Amino acid sequence: IHHQVEASENLFRRVIDRSGRRLEGMEIDELQGQLRPESKTPAEVLVVEIDGSHLPMRGKEVWKEAKLCVVYREEHHLPKSEEKRGSITQARYSATLQPAAEFRIHVDKLLKIEGSEEAKTVVWLGDGAPMNWNIADELCPKAVQVLDWAHAIEHAGNCAKKVFGETSPWIKTWTDTIALRLNKGHIDDIIIEIEQCRGISRGDAKEALEDLKRYYGNHKERMRYDQFRSQNLPIGSGVVESA
């Protein structure tokens, strides 16, 4: 498809193995600066996205989390249109299977290469995992922390399934209403109303509402989507999700 020539699976394996062994002996973080030199001008908006994904492994450890960080300047983000999906023209990536402490070192080096301290605004995007925000607090305390929009809405939908039932038509109404009100900046009111619903609920529904209230309460400062939009700041972590 890509090269218009016949190529066996064994050839791909040999080439990838050879390249991988060469890379193992190199200092990857230093290679970042060699492949694309440090930017000389501070970024107007520097975006940092972090995520983790469990991968099946060979050997005794069946699953292991791959931790990934993407850093890019918002000026290199081409937003989606009716004809094209959004894309990033330039970005820096770092990934590791090592623990969070090791990952933090790689993220720190990416931030230094991109000059996060000189950037006018740093936006730090992620899901609700504590690791995301712990690293943000340590490495870039000035960053505007933003909970990924899709995760916020997904949690509302999961809660609705417990409250109304898996196939209820009210799930969409509930989720759309929360999305609309989050867009308008009503996060505090939403939390109050979730608590009111919890007070008259029982069993799984009560537990689901408590979980949603806790999740929104823990992240409410990261969910000021109306403010973020007014400042033209990104609210979705789709770049690291696709990566």
Side-chain angles (χ1 to χ4, degrees):
I1 293 172
H2 295 103
H3 303 292
Q4 301 298 310
V5 296
E6 291 291 332
S8 69
E9 292 182 8
N10 187 48
L11 174 61
F12 277 102
R13 276 195 292 269
R14 293 206 316 270
V15 171
I16 292 170
D17 181 67
R18 184 169 66 246
S19 301
R21 292 181 187 279
R22 289 177 57 195
L23 284 171
E24 277 185 328
M26 303 174 78
E27 184 60 52
I28 300 299
D29 293 312
E30 292 180 8
L31 194 61
Q32 288 271 3
Q34 295 176 29
L35 293 174
R36 188 154 65 82
E38 297 181 22
S39 303
K40 295 182 179 179
T41 57
E44 283 291 315
V45 177
L46 187 68
V47 183
V48 184
E49 298 186 19
I50 283 181
D51 197 17
S53 180
H54 281 83
L55 304 178
M57 307 296 293
R58 294 185 178 128
K60 295 180 180 179
E61 195 166 6
V62 180
W63 294 91
K64 205 166 187 177
E65 185 183 43
K67 302 170 185 67
L68 177 66
C69 177
V70 183
V71 180
Y72 63 92
R73 295 178 173 225
E74 182 61 17
E75 65 202 66
H76 296 143
H77 174 210
L78 302 179
K80 68 178 181 179
S81 64
E82 292 184 2
E83 294 80 21
K84 294 182 179 180
R85 60 181 296 180
S87 62
I88 304 296
T89 59
Q90 293 184 33
R92 296 186 189 275
Y93 297 82
S94 187
T96 182
L97 289 170
Q98 299 303 313
E102 182 73 18
F103 180 54
R104 178 192 175 282
I105 294 172
H106 293 294
V107 175
D108 190 31
K109 291 181 179 179
L110 280 190
L111 295 176
K112 284 183 168 60
I113 290 175
E114 278 296 343
S116 62
E117 292 185 1
E118 292 78 34
K120 184 175 179 180
T121 302
V122 179
V123 181
W124 199 290
L125 279 151
D127 59 21
M131 177 192 73
N132 296 337
W133 314 115
N134 291 338
I135 294 178
D137 289 337
E138 291 174 22
L139 300 183
C140 198
K142 76 170 188 177
V144 178
Q145 296 184 4
V146 181
L147 179 73
D148 170 57
W149 169 264
H151 280 87
I153 304 306
E154 180 183 27
H155 272 71
N158 290 338
C159 176
K161 291 176 184 178
K162 296 288 187 181
V163 173
F164 301 113
E166 291 281 341
T167 60
S168 172
W170 289 104
I171 294 173
K172 186 176 187 306
T173 302
W174 166 283
T175 307
D176 288 349
T177 300
I178 287 183
L180 179 65
R181 299 188 66 191
L182 281 178
N183 256 326
K184 293 182 177 180
H186 298 169
I187 178 62
D188 295 299
D189 292 338
I190 291 171
I191 293 172
I192 291 172
E193 291 177 20
I194 291 172
E195 171 59 22
Q196 292 171 343
C197 292
R198 191 190 70 85
I200 58 172
S201 300
R202 298 290 182 270
D204 289 345
K206 189 181 188 76
E207 184 178 344
L209 288 162
E210 178 61 32
D211 289 342
L212 184 62
K213 176 194 168 188
R214 185 186 308 110
Y215 187 80
Y216 280 6
N218 289 341
H219 298 294
K220 70 176 185 176
E221 295 306 319
R222 304 181 180 111
M223 298 172 67
R224 305 290 181 184
Y225 299 115
D226 59 322
Q227 297 177 21
F228 304 147
R229 289 182 190 278
S230 70
Q231 299 170 47
N232 293 317
L233 302 180
I235 62 170
S237 59
V239 177
V240 73
E241 293 282 350
S242 60

